[in-house]
């Protein structure tokens, strides 16, 4: 069974698998990059420096499935893994800009998706610390987060 095109792209964005667990895909130019959830008919390209056969430094990483763009990352890589500062956009319009560590959102970052706009702290790929979520359907949550869930004191503004 084929996975939807956007599933791989979203996994790249949400970084749900540790880079250590990822398979290494060879991009154009024979430079390897981590791919946590490879799918059939997927191609990977990396435009940037390659050190010891792996993407390393600032560049652009693109994923295509069946010839159609599924995700694009512009930023820092280390040993073939998203690491440092970067920006990623997937085919469904979801975007993230901020820090990455071991292929996951980490540090300060902003994510825009169908749910709304979150700006705040990330840890190990999850909202964790303090941040503000402005919901697409209205309303806002500003306060603590733990493991991607509301946590602690907060200010809530309801839609309408």
């Amino acid at each position: 069974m084929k996975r939807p095109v956007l599933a791989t792209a979203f996994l790249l964005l949400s970084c749900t698998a540790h880079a250590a667990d990822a398979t290494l895909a060879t991009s154009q130019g024979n430079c390897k990059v981590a791919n946590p959830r490879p799918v059939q008919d997927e191609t990977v390209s990396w435009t940037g420096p390659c050190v010891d056969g792996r993407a390393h430094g600032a560049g652009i990483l693109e994923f295509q499935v069946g010839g159609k763009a599924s995700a694009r990352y512009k930023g820092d890589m280390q040993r073939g893994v998203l690491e440092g500062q970067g920006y990623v956009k997937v085919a469904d319009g979801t975007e993230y800009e901020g820090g990455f560590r071991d292929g996951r959102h980490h540090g300060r970052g902003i994510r825009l998706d169908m749910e709304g706009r979150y700006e705040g702290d990330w840890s190990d790929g999850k909202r964790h610390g303090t941040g503000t979520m402005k919901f697409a359907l209205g309303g806002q949550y500003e306060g603590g987060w733990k493991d991607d869930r509301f946590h602690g004191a907060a200010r809530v503004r309801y839609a309408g």
Side-chain angles (χ1 to χ4, degrees):
M1 182 171 132
K2 287 186 178 180
R3 293 185 193 143
V5 171
L6 298 179
T8 296
F10 184 74
L11 287 171
L12 171 67
L13 176 65
S14 64
C15 302
T16 57
H18 280 290
D21 298 332
T23 61
L24 290 174
T26 303
S27 70
Q28 295 172 353
N30 216 22
C31 194
K32 293 182 179 178
V33 296
N35 185 354
R37 302 279 193 264
V39 297
Q40 187 175 359
D41 298 328
E42 183 175 53
T43 59
V44 180
S45 69
W46 166 250
T47 305
C50 194
V51 176
D52 295 328
R54 295 175 190 235
H56 194 88
I60 298 172
L61 176 64
E62 296 178 302
F63 288 80
Q64 291 189 351
V65 177
K68 294 183 181 181
S70 61
R72 184 175 196 265
Y73 171 77
K74 181 177 182 180
D76 301 322
M77 300 279 284
Q78 287 187 12
R79 301 170 316 280
V81 177
L82 283 65
E83 187 84 22
Q85 294 297 305
Y87 168 79
V88 66
K89 184 172 184 176
V90 296
D92 72 353
T94 301
E95 301 174 63
Y96 172 81
E97 182 172 17
F100 288 89
R101 185 176 76 185
D102 194 29
R104 295 179 181 212
H105 303 347
H106 192 81
R108 295 292 292 178
I110 300 170
R111 184 168 94 184
L112 302 168
D113 59 22
M114 291 175 48
E115 188 180 2
R117 180 183 191 273
Y118 173 78
E119 181 172 358
D121 298 322
W122 294 85
S123 180
D124 205 24
K126 297 177 182 177
R127 293 171 283 199
H128 193 92
T130 59
T132 301
M133 181 71 191
K134 293 180 180 178
F135 296 97
L137 297 176
Q140 177 175 307
Y141 173 91
E142 183 178 352
W145 294 80
K146 183 176 180 181
D147 293 327
D148 233 13
R149 298 179 186 267
F150 303 145
H151 182 77
R155 277 193 302 208
V156 178
R157 191 173 351 166
Y158 293 94

